[in-house]
């Protein structure tokens, strides 16, 4: 059972540019269904990893409300699919302008709900999302069909591109604006309508996405934003995937959850776009600029507390420079994540237990700690300082498991071939990095690494709207971003006729 609420001109509790935590104990984050904000009787608490305290409540979508969102998207689809590209372009551009106007509000929601630093929210996530909206808006008119030549005289054909219909996008908490907006912006640009299911860990970040699009003039029903209690995840998600109105699914999140969703999509014979976990390697060749490589590896491993699917997980360094590189890496760690800075915040306590267990297992099997102290205690249960583990081997869990936290392995290698062999010795394949002063060598190595992206002389964490983004192996399939992102949500139709 749901009830409709109104904001009374306060932008949902963020009135007169006041801090969003002013209404912390009284506010319930609403869903966004068919152009209306819906506050449900069933809610859940949202706690901040910064303080460990409840900051507000959030509405929890029921199965029936989720179906209502699907039906709203289906009802809106015929009209939205017929809109001219210029109409869709202008709405996306206006959404970008509104997000820019509400920049501080968006960043504060991300900081308090996910524990991100200003560098991650204000410095990257929000501005990149603003640019993403502008980029996809400018690409809408470039998606066109074509006219092939038929083999038989007197016959002609044309290939047209058309939207699928209702798209179900699922986005995680760690980069809610980039990942939440991209789950729907490319689909909307192609003429589809959407349901966006945001993480229960950062519902207010996802709520504002819906509000921004609505304020930009997106017709009711074209975008519906929902979230739910953890206990309702299976029922709600399965019901939406199975619904006959839903034509395609996109999911960004863990490989384990992605596998379950892929099975359900396969059973329903529905296409799915997936961007999943990673175990990104960074290969440091013997001619690399070591200070530059060390700084990039430190940032790539520990930006956002290592809670990024592209985070550097294994540093593979030539044995001839391993000692020197280790010195530079420790220096880079001290400069960026040293004792004078607060310990990084993780989304909650379980990832810390996971990372400490991985380190403990590695050390028990012969690895050593190059930097950090796994036994250190911090002021809160959601903080952990970065750990660099050296001499990690394939017998250790850390070698194979995505840590998704502030832990990285340093592995000396005897050759370029060994580095590539270890880099590819994983079920993941999302991102990677190579450091060398020889571009030809960098390109040679890049072609042999089994990842969706390779970044030469840059950290493995690299995502921008103009670059197709996605993985290989168990890191997923399909591509977000750029023109490829729009094409993911268009299907081809062949039309022939007799002249």
């Amino acid at each position: 059972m749901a009830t409709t609420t109104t904001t009374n001109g306060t932008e949902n509790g963020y009135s007169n540019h006041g801090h969003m935590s002013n209404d912390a104990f009284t506010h319930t984050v609403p869903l966004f269904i068919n152009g209306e904000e819906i506050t449900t009787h069933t809610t859940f608490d949202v706690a901040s990893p910064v303080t460990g305290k409840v900051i507000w409540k959030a509405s929890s979508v029921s199965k029936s409300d989720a179906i209502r969102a699907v039906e709203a998207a289906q009802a809106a689809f015929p009209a939205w699919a017929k809109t001219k590209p210029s109409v869709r372009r202008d709405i996306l551009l206006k959404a970008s302008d509104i997000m820019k106007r509400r920049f501080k509000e968006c960043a504060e929601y991300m900081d308090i709900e996910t524990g991100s630093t200003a560098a991650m929210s204000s410095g990257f996530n929000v501005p990149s999302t603003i640019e993403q909206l502008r980029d996809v808006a400018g690409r809408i008119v470039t998606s066109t069909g074509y006219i092939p030549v038929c083999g038989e005289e007197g016959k002609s054909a044309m290939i047209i591109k058309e939207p699928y219909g209702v798209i179900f996008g699922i986005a995680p908490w760690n980069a809610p604006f980039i990942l939440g907006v991209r789950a729907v912006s490319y689909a909307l640009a192609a003429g589809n309508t959407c349901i966006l299911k945001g993480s229960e860990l950062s519902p207010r970040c996802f709520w504002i996405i819906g509000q921004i699009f609505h304020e930009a003039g997106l017709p009711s029903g074209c975008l519906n934003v929902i979230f739910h209690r953890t206990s309702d995840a299976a029922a709600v998600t399965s019901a939406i995937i199975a619904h006959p109105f839903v034509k395609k699914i996109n999911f960004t999140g863990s490989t384990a959850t992605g596998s379950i969703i892929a099975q359900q999509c396969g059973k329903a014979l529905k296409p799915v776009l997936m961007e999943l976990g990673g175990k990104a390697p960074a290969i440091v060749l013997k001619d690399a600029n070591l200070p530059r490589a060390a700084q990039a590896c430190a940032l790539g491993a520990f930006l956002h507390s290592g809670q990024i699917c592209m985070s550097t997980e294994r540093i593979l360094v030539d044995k001839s420079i391993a000692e020197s590189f280790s010195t530079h890496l420790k220096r880079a760690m001290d400069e960026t994540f040293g004792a004078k800075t607060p310990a990084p915040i993780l989304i909650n306590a379980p990832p810390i237990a996971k990372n400490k267990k991985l380190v403990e297992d590695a050390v028990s099997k012969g690895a050593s700690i190059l930097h950090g102290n796994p036994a250190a205690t911090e002021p809160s249960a959601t903080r952990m300082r970065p750990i660099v583990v050296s001499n990690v081997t394939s017998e250790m869990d850390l070698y194979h498991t995505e840590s998704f936290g502030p832990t990285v392995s340093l592995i000396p290698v005897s050759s370029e071939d060994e580095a590539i062999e270890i880099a590819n010795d994983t079920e993941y394949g999302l991102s990677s990095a190579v450091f060398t002063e020889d571009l030809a060598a960098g390109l040679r190595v890049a072609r042999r690494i089994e990842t969706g992206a390779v970044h030469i002389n840059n950290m493995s964490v690299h995502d921008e709207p103009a670059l197709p983004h996605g993985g290989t192996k168990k890191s997923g399939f399909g591509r977000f971003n750029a023109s490829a992102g729009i094409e993911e949500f268009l299907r081809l139709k062949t039309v022939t006729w007799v002249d």
Side-chain angles (χ1 to χ4, degrees), residues 2 30 124-125 146 237 289 317 326 335 338 341 387 394 423 433 464 483 490:
F124 174 61
N125 212 269
Y146 57 95
T237 304
N289 180 319
V317 57
S326 297
E335 291 174 353
T341 61
I387 304 292
S394 59
E464 56 184 277
S483 296
L490 291 168

Side-chain angles (χ1 to χ4, degrees), residues 43 77 141 150 166 319 338 345 362 407 411 420 444 465 479 493:
T43 63
F77 172 64
V141 296
C150 290
V166 178
K319 287 181 177 178
I345 298 172
T407 306
I411 305 174
I420 294 169
R444 180 179 67 243
R479 293 295 182 267
K493 177 177 282 185

